[in-house]
Structures are given as structure tokens and as C-alpha cells.
């Protein structure tokens, strides 16, 4: 079965649902998913895609929808979480570094827990430092390396690849060049990977 | 079980999926749904909610997503359908008139078929006339009455009621003051009606 690319950005609210339920979901479905952090803010600004800022009704609905779905998935959440986050690029650069090693998923999940369970803004130094600790990393050298030009270029390259694959928001799934947008399309993406259509 | 309000607008692309699958879905689930046409364009313009115009990537995805889901539901569709439609208000005023009689659902489904199967723009006189014929109505007196101030006021009142219920897009479902947005939230709405949470 082809692998599913899971494009997400720390800073995306609906990505919380996928980030938290995906490991159990993969075990249950015997599926393999590749976690790919990118900078969704850069993409959405370039495409003039502004889903929530200045839209109070839609924003209120987003939190309520996430609350109901978190309950469905058995996820703890204290909502609304601080939003939007200040520095989206740094958090995703750190996540991308972690994906080249073995701590990227653990870091991402720890950071979402801090953001959605404890109300600590995910772009803050406090949240990044604590999430790195929880992922077994020494924060200071990691955060220093996250500012290297090579790390910035690596995230830019991943973001460009996401755009090349048609990604315009997060979370998204891509399988065999087929794009699925939203946590609620995970089953569609899996069906596409298995049988080539949405069942 | 409390009734589900189905808020839709002729002119909304994703409403196609719900409009076409809802009668079978209701029979299968022994559910009762109240069809409520409103003017989603008026609501979205007031809320500066512009999902597709000027967003080619998101628009391309929307058609592909609808295509995949139409196939899943066994619906015929020739995509992309003409979009956006010219006159959204008139079509929904006619649909609202039909809901006070017994031909509103038949008219709506006939019009979506013309729009999504045959490529006839749903706001056009040609499409409205043909859909009224298929719904067993004499088009000329209906279209004349659709321009009455009382008919305009009736659609404005329904649109105001949708906004009061928190609706910001179409299709939406409301059950016990709980809002669900999108064709893909129909099962969530039904679960809410049955057991008060999203199962």
C-alpha cells in the first residue's frame, strides 16, 4: 500500500485532532503515515486564504466542532486554545528537525498537548522548551540550530513541496498525488491508498 | 427525536451532495429533516467569508472533493458545474415558495440535476423554468410571484433566522441549537439528535 503523506503545521487548530489520534489510528488500520511539517501560514498568505481572522461566527464554530470531535475521539482539550500562535515557522522548523531524527512525532504531540490541554501558546519559548524536554531533547542547542539558515531552507523546501502537491491548508493528506484536506478526510485518504477510490 | 433543520442555498456547491443523497439517507436512518432554503451569499458577504473566488487551488480541490464524494454516494455529476451562479436569491425564493407547498424538494433536486448533471447554470431562467416544469409547476406564475415583495421578505426572514442560529455557510444542519456545517457533518448532526453527542 502506498504511504500517506500527512502535511501539518503546528499553529493549525484542526491538526490537533489528527496529531493526537493518528498513532492509534495507524495501529488500528495497519497504516503507514509520513509526518511532514510545513509552514501553512506562508502558503495561506500567498493564496489570500484567511479562514478565521475577522470571522467570529466561523471561528466560534471551529472551536465547537473541534470540541465535539475531540470528545468523539476521546481527546482531552481545554478550548479555545490561544490562537493564532505568534511564531509558526520556528515550531515547525523544530518539528522538521525532529523528523530527521526520531523525536519529531513525540515533540509535535507534546507541543499540541501543551497548547490544547494546558493553554500554553505553541509558538512560545516556554512551550517549545517544555515540549523538547518531553521529547527527550536538550532545548538550547536544538533551538539554536533551528535558526540556522540550513534549517530555514529545509522548511521552505518542504513548504514548496506541499504547494507543488496542491496543499492549501492543514492538515492535508496526499496519497498517489491525490490531495485530501482536513482531519475528517483521513478515512478518504486511507481508502484511496487501499482501493483507489473513496469508499 | 428532534427534527434536523437542513439549511441550504441553491448556488452552494457542496449542497449538491446533501440535496441529492438526503431522501435516501432519511429513509435509511428513519430520520426527519426540514429543508430550509436561505440566501447564503448575503450571509457570507456580510461576514467577509469568501471561500473560493480568487483562490484557484482551493477551488480546484473543492471540485475534486465533490467528484470523489459524489462517486462514493453513487451520484452522477459533470464537473466543474458553472460557478458562481448569477442570481442566487431568485432560485432560493422559488425553492422557499415550494417548501410552503409540496414541490420544494422536487424543484430543488431537479434544479441541482440541471446544474450538476447537464451544466445549466442554476440561476438562469432556462434552469428555473425547466426545474419548475419537472416539479409539476407552471413556471410563469411562479416566477412572477417569486418577485413579490412578500416572497423577498420571506427569504430575508429565513436568512435572518439562519444567522440567528449561527449559520455562516451552506449546507448546515441545526439540531437542538447545535450547528453542524458541511455535507460531511450530516452523520454528526444525526448523532446529536439521537444521543446528544457526536458518536
Amino acid at each position: 500500500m502506498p504511504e500517506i503523506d500527512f502535511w501539518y503545521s503546528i499553529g493549525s487548530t484542526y491538526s490537533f485532532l489528527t496529531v493526537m489520534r493518528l498513532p492509534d489510528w495507524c495501529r488500528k488500520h495497519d497504516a503507514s503515515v509520513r509526518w511532514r511539517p510545513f509552514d501553512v501560514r506562508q502558503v495561506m498568505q500567498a493564496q489570500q486564504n484567511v479562514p478565521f481572522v475577522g470571522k467570529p461566527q466561523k471561528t466560534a464554530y471551529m472551536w465547537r466542532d473541534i470540541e465535539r470531535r475531540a470528545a468523539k475521539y476521546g481527546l482531552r482539550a481545554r478550548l479555545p486554545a490561544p490562537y493564532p500562535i505568534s511564531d509558526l515557522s520556528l515550531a515547525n522548523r523544530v518539528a522538521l528537525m525532529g523528523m530527521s531524527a526520531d523525536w519529531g512525532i513525540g515533540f509535535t504531540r507534546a507541543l499540541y498537548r501543551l497548547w490544547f490541554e494546558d493553554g500554553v501558546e505553541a509558538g512560545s519559548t516556554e512551550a517549545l522548551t517544555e515540549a523538547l524536554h518531553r521529547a527527550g531533547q536538550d532545548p538550547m542547542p536544538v533551538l539554536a540550530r533551528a535558526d540556522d539558515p540550513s534549517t530555514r531552507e529545509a522548511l521552505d523546501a518542504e513548504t514548496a513541496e506541499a504547494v507543488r502537491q496542491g496543499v492549501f491548508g492543514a492538515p492535508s493528506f496526499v496519497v498517489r498525488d491525490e490531495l485530501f484536506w482536513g482531519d475528517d478526510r483521513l478515512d478518504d485518504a486511507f481508502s484511496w491508498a487501499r482501493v483507489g477510490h473513496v469508499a
Side-chain angles (χ1 to χ4, degrees), chain A residues 6-23 35-41 44 52 62-63 66 70 75-85 87-96 99 103-124 126-135 169-173 182-183:
Chain A
F6 164 41
W7 290 102
Y8 74 97
S9 272
I10 295 159
S12 146
T13 55
Y14 273 102
S15 293
F16 162 73
L17 296 174
T18 318
V19 161
M20 298 314 293
R21 75 186 179 107
L22 196 54
W35 294 49
R36 303 190 74 169
F38 74 112
D39 188 341
V40 74
R41 185 174 286 172
M44 294 175 79
F52 300 121
M62 177 267 287
W63 290 117
I66 290 177
L75 304 175
R76 282 213 302 140
R78 202 171 70 189
L79 304 177
Y83 182 82
I85 74 168
D87 190 339
L88 191 141
S89 171
L90 174 59
N92 288 290
R93 273 181 271 139
V94 173
L96 185 58
M99 293 302 165
W103 51 267
I105 295 177
F107 165 77
T108 299
R109 287 166 55 84
L111 191 52
Y112 263 98
R113 281 219 161 92
L114 288 159
W115 184 21
F116 271 66
E117 294 181 6
D118 303 324
V120 188
E121 195 257 285
S124 67
E126 181 191 358
L128 293 168
T129 302
E130 176 60 22
L132 281 166
H133 272 301
R134 293 188 189 178
S172 291
F173 309 98
D183 172 76

Side-chain angles (χ1 to χ4, degrees), chain A residues 29-166:
Chain A
H29 292 86
D30 195 20
S32 174
V33 171
R34 184 175 170 206
W35 294 49
R36 303 190 74 169
F38 74 112
D39 188 341
V40 74
R41 185 174 286 172
Q42 191 183 310
V43 175
M44 294 175 79
Q45 282 175 347
Q47 299 185 1
Q48 281 135 46
N49 184 355
V50 183
F52 300 121
V53 174
K55 301 184 177 69
Q57 296 89 347
K58 200 154 176 264
T59 303
Y61 175 80
M62 177 267 287
W63 290 117
R64 182 61 174 153
D65 189 46
I66 290 177
E67 184 178 30
R68 289 187 307 231
R69 299 217 136 208
K72 167 182 168 158
Y73 297 144
L75 304 175
R76 282 213 302 140
R78 202 171 70 189
L79 304 177
Y83 182 82
I85 74 168
S86 50
D87 190 339
L88 191 141
S89 171
L90 174 59
N92 288 290
R93 273 181 271 139
V94 173
L96 185 58
M97 288 167 61
M99 293 302 165
S100 314
D102 62 353
W103 51 267
I105 295 177
F107 165 77
T108 299
R109 287 166 55 84
L111 191 52
Y112 263 98
R113 281 219 161 92
L114 288 159
W115 184 21
F116 271 66
E117 294 181 6
D118 303 324
V120 188
E121 195 257 285
S124 67
T125 309
E126 181 191 358
L128 293 168
T129 302
E130 176 60 22
L132 281 166
H133 272 301
R134 293 188 189 178
Q137 301 306 305
D138 186 0
M140 289 194 54
V142 173
L143 291 174
R145 198 148 56 86
D147 275 334
D148 282 354
S150 65
T151 314
R152 293 178 182 274
E153 283 160 20
L155 187 67
D156 286 347
E158 281 296 274
T159 303
E161 174 61 16
V163 169
R164 200 199 59 75
Q165 294 188 12

